[in-house]
Amino acid sequence: MKKRIPWLWPALTLPVLLAGKVMSAPPPPSATQWLPPQAVAVLEITRPEALLNPLLSDAFAAAVEATPPYQKQVSTPGFEQFQEVVKLFETRLGTDWRKGVRKLAGGGILFGLTPNVGATLAVDAKDEAALKEFQGLVLDLAAGDAENRGQAGGPTSREYQGVTVWSLGGNAHTVIGNRLLLGSRPPAIRAALDLYAKSGGKSFASRPEAEAARKAALADDAIGWAFLDMKALRANPGLAKALEGSGNPLAELVLAGPRETLKHADWLAAGIHVEGDALELRLIAQGAGDASVDSPAQFAAIRGPSEGALPVPSVPRGIAGVSLHRDLHGFYAAKDKLFPERTSGLIFFENMMGIFFSGLDLTEQVLGETKPGIRVVVAEQDYDPAIGKPQTRLPAFAAILKLQRPEAFGEVIEEAWQKALGLINFTRGQKALPGLIIDRDEHLGTPYTVSSFRAPEKAGDDLHIRYNFRPTLARLGDSVILSSTDALAKDLIKALQKEAAAKTAALSKTHSVLEISGGRLASILQANRAQLVRQSIVEKGKTQEEAEAEQVVLTSIVETIKSARLSLATGDDEADATLLLRFELPAAAPDTRPGG
C-alpha cells in the first residue's frame, strides 16, 4: 500500500512555516480588529474546515498525484527531503499531516492589504499546543539550515508592544495565543500589534461599511467573505484608466455592465459558500445602480423590473453560453463617445454593413430594428461520419437576436446574410478556393438557409479546417439565429420552440449571464491537443515535453470544473453577482509503481 504524499502541504502551510514564538494568552479577538482602518482588500475565512475537508481528502490527493507534472516532481532531488520534513512534522505533532493542517489552520484565516503598509495574514489554530510544538520544529529547521549553509540568516527576534516578533526570510511575524500573525513588511506587523495593544482602537472592523459588508456577505451560512474598497482602489491610475474603457467595440459591448458597477460602487463584498461539490460566491456592490442618463453605457441599463437578460438556451453538447441585456441601437448611437477614434476596423465594418444592408442607416434602420438582448451559444460538434472530421476541430457557435418587426425586417436580414455568403464565395473564387453551396431546408416546421462546402472525395479525420463550418440562418417568431453550423441551428430551433411554449420570462434586473461546461471544453482541448502542442512549440519556444505537460495541466484543470455560472444584476443603488462553480475530480490513475 503506497503512502499518500502530502502534495498540498506547502501551499497550505507556507504562512505557518514562517511563524514566530508562541505566547500563552487568551484567545485573541476577531482578526479584523487588528487590521488598519485603511485596508482596501480583505479576505476572511471564518470556517476553514469547509474548504480544508475537500482539499485534504484522499480523492483529491489521488487525482493530483495521478497527473504527469506531479509524477515528474516526485523524481526531483528535493522531494525526498520534503517528505522527511513532513515525517518530522507528523512526529512532533503526534498525528498525520492532514489532521495537523486542520489543527493549525482550522480556527480561521484572515488576509488584509493596506496601501503603504503591506499585507497582513492571521491564521488561528484550533490547537494552541500543536502550534507551540510546530513552532519549535520550524525554529529548529530554520536554525539548522542556516548553520548547514555556514551563513547568517536564521531566525532573529525583538520585542514590540510586549510581544516577541521574529524575522525570517524578510517577513515579520509573531504568535499570540492560538493566532499566527504575519506581515509582508515590518510596518504591517507593527500596525497590527499597535491595534492589539490598544484593544479597541480604530481598526478595519470599526468602519461602518466594513460592518455592513460583513453582515451582508456572511448571511445564509457563508463560510467566509471578501471586501474591496472601490473608492480607494479607483485612486490607482492604472485601474482608473482601465475602467474608462478599451476602445474595443466588442469589449465595450460585453463589459459595459460590469464596468459601470466597478466605476460607481463604494465597496464590493462577496459571501463564500460551499455545499457538496459547489463553491458559490455571492457579490454585493454598494452604491452601484444602473448607468447614469448621461453615460454612454446606457445601452446596458435595466429600465424596469420586467427587463433583463433571457436565460441561456440549453442545447446538446453545449460548452458555453452568454446572455446579455444590451440595446444595440443605443450602443451604436453612442459609438462616438465609446470609441472616438475611427479605426480601420470600424470603417471596414461600417462599409461592409452598408453593402449587406443596401445602404440602410446602420444605427436607425438596422440596429434600431432589434430588441435589447444578445445570446451566444457555443457547442461541441458531432461530425457527420459520411464526411469526416477536420484535423483542427472547432466548436460550433451561434448568436440569437430578437427583432422589433420580424415580418417586415426578417427578409432584410436574410438578404444581408446571402450577400455576405456571396462575398465570401467571390473572394474565395479569386483565390481558386472552394466556395459555399447555399440550400434551403426545414426543421420542426421552421425553414432555414444553410450553406456548406462540397463533400471531400474521401471521408477521414484529417480534413481541412473549412469542414468545421456550415453557416446557417433561421428565423423563428421574433428570433433570428445566425449559426456556424446547421446542427447547432437545429438544436436552437428546438430550444426556442420550448422557450416560446413555456413563455420563458427574462431574468429580472439581470444584465449579463455566462455559463460554461468544463467537461465539454476539456474534450475540445483533448481533441486538438496535437495542434496545441505544435503551436506552443512554434510560438512559445517550448520543448515537446514542456508543451505536452502544459496541455495536460490545462486539460486537467478544466476537467475539474463540472460547470460554472456567473450572473450580474443591478438594483436601485446596488449590484448583485453570483458565481457558482461545481467541481468534479478526475479519476485517479492506477498505481503501477513497484509495491504500489
Side-chain angles (χ1 to χ4, degrees):
M1 181 73 66
K2 71 172 182 177
K3 182 178 179 180
R4 287 278 179 228
I5 299 172
W7 58 271
L8 194 59
W9 172 244
L12 292 177
T13 61
L14 181 58
V16 182
L17 287 169
L18 300 175
K21 185 178 178 181
V22 177
M23 291 182 55
S24 180
S30 168
T32 57
Q33 295 181 32
W34 292 3
L35 281 181
Q38 303 87 1
V40 297
V42 176
L43 171 64
E44 183 181 22
I45 306 299
T46 56
R47 292 192 287 125
E49 284 198 347
L51 286 176
L52 293 177
N53 288 340
L55 291 176
L56 297 176
S57 67
D58 287 342
F60 198 71
V64 174
E65 289 170 14
T67 62
Y70 178 85
Q71 295 295 332
K72 183 179 179 181
Q73 178 66 28
V74 171
S75 63
T76 59
F79 197 81
E80 205 172 299
Q81 184 179 3
F82 167 70
Q83 288 181 293
E84 292 302 319
V85 172
V86 174
K87 289 178 183 178
L88 285 173
F89 167 76
E90 293 180 327
T91 301
R92 290 286 285 262
L93 269 68
T95 184
D96 68 86
W97 70 272
R98 288 185 178 87
K99 290 180 181 178
V101 171
R102 290 185 175 95
K103 285 182 178 183
L104 294 173
I109 301 170
L110 177 88
F111 172 82
L113 182 63
T114 307
N116 303 318
V117 174
T120 305
L121 177 69
V123 181
D124 290 351
K126 294 187 73 174
D127 187 330
E128 185 176 340
L131 184 56
K132 290 181 179 179
E133 201 62 55
F134 180 67
Q135 174 62 20
L137 171 63
V138 172
L139 292 176
D140 290 345
L141 289 173
D145 182 62
E147 184 177 349
N148 290 337
R149 293 173 182 269
Q151 299 174 352
T156 60
S157 66
R158 59 188 175 84
E159 296 296 313
Y160 186 80
Q161 296 288 15
V163 175
T164 302
V165 179
W166 292 82
S167 295
L168 182 65
N171 298 294
H173 35 81
T174 187
V175 174
I176 301 175
N178 70 323
R179 174 171 297 162
L180 159 69
L181 186 64
L182 176 104
S184 63
R185 300 169 56 216
I189 198 77
R190 289 198 296 266
L193 291 177
D194 287 342
L195 288 167
Y196 157 74
K198 290 178 182 177
S199 185
K202 189 176 181 182
S203 66
F204 172 77
S206 66
R207 289 172 58 178
E209 59 267 40
E211 183 179 356
R214 190 177 195 274
K215 182 178 179 181
L218 285 179
D220 301 325
D221 202 34
I223 68 160
W225 71 297
F227 173 88
L228 290 176
D229 185 337
M230 291 307 302
K231 281 186 175 180
L233 289 172
R234 284 196 297 269
N236 180 284
L239 179 60
K241 183 178 180 180
L243 293 178
E244 289 305 315
S246 64
N248 181 292
L250 182 59
E252 294 298 326
L253 181 66
V254 174
L255 299 178
R259 181 179 289 127
E260 285 299 299
T261 295
L262 297 177
K263 283 176 67 174
H264 301 293
D266 296 329
W267 50 260
L268 304 181
I272 305 169
H273 302 257
V274 174
E275 184 175 347
D277 65 348
L279 171 66
E280 186 174 8
L281 303 180
R282 301 174 190 170
L283 185 141
I284 304 159
Q286 184 62 40
D290 282 333
S292 59
V293 293
D294 59 345
S295 168
Q298 265 289 306
F299 65 88
I302 304 291
R303 295 182 174 81
S306 62
E307 280 198 359
L310 286 165
V312 174
S314 177
V315 297
R317 305 177 303 280
I319 296 173
V322 178
S323 181
L324 304 173
H325 179 83
R326 302 289 190 271
D327 178 5
L328 290 177
H329 170 264
F331 168 70
Y332 215 71
K335 65 180 183 297
D336 292 336
K337 292 182 178 179
L338 291 168
F339 25 93
E341 293 186 9
R342 296 189 57 77
T343 63
S344 58
L346 182 59
I347 294 171
F348 176 78
F349 170 77
E350 290 179 334
N351 289 339
M352 289 297 98
M353 292 299 101
I355 294 172
F356 299 153
F357 287 98
S358 304
L360 294 177
D361 181 79
L362 182 57
T363 304
E364 300 299 331
Q365 295 177 296
V366 178
L367 298 178
E369 291 285 351
T370 63
K371 293 180 180 179
I374 309 166
R375 290 187 282 178
V376 177
V377 176
V378 182
E380 187 179 8
Q381 293 207 51
D382 187 13
Y383 295 96
D384 185 348
I387 295 177
K389 300 176 181 179
Q391 186 178 43
T392 300
R393 297 164 198 174
L394 304 178
F397 52 90
I400 306 168
L401 302 174
K402 284 186 172 291
L403 303 180
Q404 300 279 8
R405 301 181 304 141
E407 293 298 329
F409 198 70
E411 288 191 353
V412 177
I413 293 281
E414 184 93 38
E415 178 187 342
W417 177 260
Q418 295 201 24
K419 282 184 180 179
L421 295 177
L423 181 59
I424 291 172
N425 277 342
F426 178 77
T427 303
R428 290 181 64 84
Q430 287 183 315
K431 299 177 181 178
L433 297 173
L436 291 160
I437 301 169
I438 302 175
D439 198 2
R440 294 279 290 178
D441 208 335
E442 183 178 296
H443 182 67
L444 299 178
T446 298
Y448 62 89
T449 300
V450 59
S451 53
S452 60
F453 295 99
R454 63 177 182 269
E457 295 181 2
K458 183 179 180 182
D461 291 344
D462 58 351
L463 302 181
H464 190 273
I465 194 172
R466 67 175 178 269
Y467 288 101
N468 283 292
F469 302 101
R470 292 172 61 89
T472 303
L473 179 143
R475 289 186 285 145
L476 176 64
D478 64 349
S479 296
V480 175
I481 301 169
L482 307 173
S483 176
S484 68
T485 70
D486 54 338
L488 179 54
K490 290 189 283 188
D491 288 337
L492 287 170
I493 288 171
K494 185 176 181 179
L496 294 183
Q497 286 181 345
K498 288 183 177 180
E499 193 176 271
K503 298 181 179 179
T504 302
L507 303 170
S508 178
K509 298 187 177 182
T510 299
H511 59 72
S512 305
V513 178
L514 168 66
E515 296 179 358
I516 297 174
S517 169
R520 295 204 175 276
L521 180 57
S523 70
I524 293 292
L525 295 175
Q526 182 67 37
N528 293 285
R529 176 170 292 179
Q531 288 78 14
L532 292 171
V533 166
R534 283 197 297 269
Q535 183 178 351
S536 186
I537 293 172
V538 173
E539 296 182 2
K540 300 179 182 179
K542 293 184 178 292
T543 65
Q544 179 81 18
E545 184 181 17
E546 290 173 338
E548 289 177 349
E550 181 182 65
Q551 291 306 313
V552 168
V553 171
L554 177 61
T555 304
S556 298
I557 292 173
V558 172
E559 279 180 335
T560 63
I561 303 175
K562 186 188 303 182
S563 63
R565 186 179 191 274
L566 172 66
S567 64
L568 306 173
T570 57
D572 294 333
D573 193 39
E574 66 178 29
D576 300 305
T578 301
L579 173 62
L580 178 61
L581 299 172
R582 292 194 176 277
F583 297 93
E584 184 173 30
L585 296 178
D591 186 11
T592 58
R593 291 172 294 176

